[in-house]
Amino acid sequence: MKQPCILIVEADVLVRNPLAEYLRECGYQVQEAFNPTEARQLLGKGSKRIDIVLADVDDVRGENGFALARWIRTHHPSIEVILAGTISMAAAKAGELCEEGPKLSKPYDHRMIADHVRRLQAARDRGAPTE
Amino acid sequence: MLPELDSSPAAARVLIVEDDVLIRAIVADELRSAGFSVVEAASADEALSYLKAGGQTDLVFSDVWMPGSLNGLDLARQLRDEYPSLPIILASGNLGSQNLADFGLFIRKPYDVEHAVAMVSEALGFEPRAVVR
């Protein structure tokens, strides 16, 4: 059975990576894009057919998630677009995807992702490792 | 002497630093198929952000010439100073005047992805294995 593929569009690696790993553990294939430009490249020329896009709403280098969503609806109308404005929202959306996903069991509570991300960001901001 | 690692490559995490998303995605996918855990960074700045937050990695595979406040060489210098035991593989099609071997292993671009995966495996002390699909 083909694994569904999710494209995460998020400028902060400390958010993007935990979300991507969580969704992979749920059984999805996951592609990662730093910004909408990378997302369009993957959608157009990437080696994997993408089924769902999970994108940050906020401005990333002058283009926000809404603009990307409009572009996707025009050029790839079969792709489901999910927009998230906060880490908690993104983690909750990832949790919903895992509930519906190819595996029967979730690897861990999706709320732990948001906590983990906040700890990573705090550690980065003060320049100290968390572990 | 081989490092004290779990016998499975899944215990090893590779940080890929590459600004070309199509290359980054292909290399990341091949490494995951070989059993590695992979963190993707679109720039040297992102890679440092990840490491400074305490993100774990066993090897850094980085492009050299990238946009941003740091390029791959700047990253390699910082890693050599701050994480001296961290293996680094640098990828470039243009050596310029730098001796990249001073910073770690080197792979010339364009490279065969399976060769890159084999280099990562060997650098981490694993037998390169066939990709499982």
Side-chain angles (χ1 to χ4, degrees), chain B residues 22-67:
Chain B
L22 297 178
I23 295 175
R24 190 171 79 233
I26 288 172
V27 176
D29 284 347
E30 287 293 324
L31 283 167
R32 290 188 183 108
S33 294
F36 293 100
S37 171
V38 179
V39 178
E40 298 181 40
S43 67
D45 298 278
E46 273 214 314
L48 275 181
S49 178
Y50 172 78
L51 291 169
K52 287 188 173 171
Q56 299 299 307
T57 191
D58 298 294
L59 181 144
V60 175
F61 184 99
S62 178
D63 188 19
V64 171
W65 306 114
M66 293 180 287

Side-chain angles (χ1 to χ4, degrees), chain A residues 11-14 16-17 21 24 30-34 38 41-42 45-48 120 123-124 127-131, chain B residues 13 18-22 24-26 29 32 37-43 46-47 49-56:
Chain A
D12 190 340
V13 62
L14 299 183
R16 190 175 71 238
N17 176 253
E21 293 200 343
R24 287 188 185 105
V30 181
Q31 300 267 279
E32 299 179 40
F34 169 70
E38 287 199 345
Q41 286 181 278
L42 286 172
K45 296 181 183 175
S47 59
K48 289 188 164 35
L120 289 172
R124 174 191 57 194
T130 54
E131 291 153 33
Chain B
R13 174 166 286 194
E18 168 62 65
D19 62 302
D20 185 323
V21 66
L22 297 178
R24 190 171 79 233
I26 288 172
D29 284 347
R32 290 188 183 108
S37 171
V38 179
V39 178
E40 298 181 40
S43 67
E46 273 214 314
S49 178
Y50 172 78
L51 291 169
K52 287 188 173 171
Q56 299 299 307

Side-chain angles (χ1 to χ4, degrees), chain B residues 14 31 34 36 59-61 87-91 104-109 111-129:
Chain B
V14 179
L31 283 167
F36 293 100
L59 181 144
V60 175
F61 184 99
I88 300 170
I89 298 176
L90 292 174
L105 298 172
F106 169 71
I107 184 170
R108 184 181 288 277
K109 284 182 126 177
Y111 50 77
D112 178 86
V113 177
E114 290 190 9
H115 174 55
V117 172
M119 272 191 83
V120 169
S121 296
E122 289 180 43
L124 288 171
F126 295 114
E127 283 285 328
R129 68 180 199 196

Side-chain angles (χ1 to χ4, degrees), chain A residues 65-76:
Chain A
F66 292 111
L68 176 62
R70 281 195 296 274
W71 183 89
I72 292 171
R73 286 186 193 119
T74 300
H75 294 86
H76 301 278

Side-chain angles (χ1 to χ4, degrees), chain A residues 1 4 26-28 94-106:
Chain A
M1 187 175 102
C26 292
Y28 288 98
E96 288 172 19
L97 287 167
C98 281
E99 291 284 353
E100 303 160 12
K103 275 194 181 176
L104 293 178
S105 60
K106 287 191 296 188

Side-chain angles (χ1 to χ4, degrees), chain A:
Chain A
M1 187 175 102
K2 177 184 165 290
Q3 290 171 296
C5 185
I6 297 175
L7 169 61
I8 295 177
V9 189
E10 165 58 57
D12 190 340
V13 62
L14 299 183
V15 178
R16 190 175 71 238
N17 176 253
L19 278 174
E21 293 200 343
Y22 177 74
L23 288 167
R24 287 188 185 105
E25 289 186 35
C26 292
Y28 288 98
Q29 294 187 80
V30 181
Q31 300 267 279
E32 299 179 40
F34 169 70
N35 59 20
T37 298
E38 287 199 345
R40 280 192 289 270
Q41 286 181 278
L42 286 172
L43 288 164
K45 296 181 183 175
S47 59
K48 289 188 164 35
R49 181 174 165 257
I50 290 164
D51 302 289
I52 300 167
V53 173
L54 174 59
D56 184 11
V57 166
D58 292 335
D59 271 344
V60 179
R61 305 294 191 270
E63 183 179 3
N64 64 26
F66 292 111
L68 176 62
R70 281 195 296 274
W71 183 89
I72 292 171
R73 286 186 193 119
T74 300
H75 294 86
H76 301 278
S78 65
I79 293 177
E80 180 183 355
V81 181
I82 301 170
L83 296 176
T86 64
I87 298 167
S88 297
M89 198 181 299
K93 295 295 183 184
E96 288 172 19
L97 287 167
C98 281
E99 291 284 353
E100 303 160 12
K103 275 194 181 176
L104 293 178
S105 60
K106 287 191 296 188
Y108 45 83
D109 189 328
H110 69 271
R111 287 168 291 189
M112 293 173 63
I113 302 173
D115 290 340
H116 179 56
V117 168
R118 289 190 192 101
R119 283 202 306 275
L120 289 172
Q121 291 178 323
R124 174 191 57 194
D125 294 342
R126 64 173 183 264
T130 54
E131 291 153 33

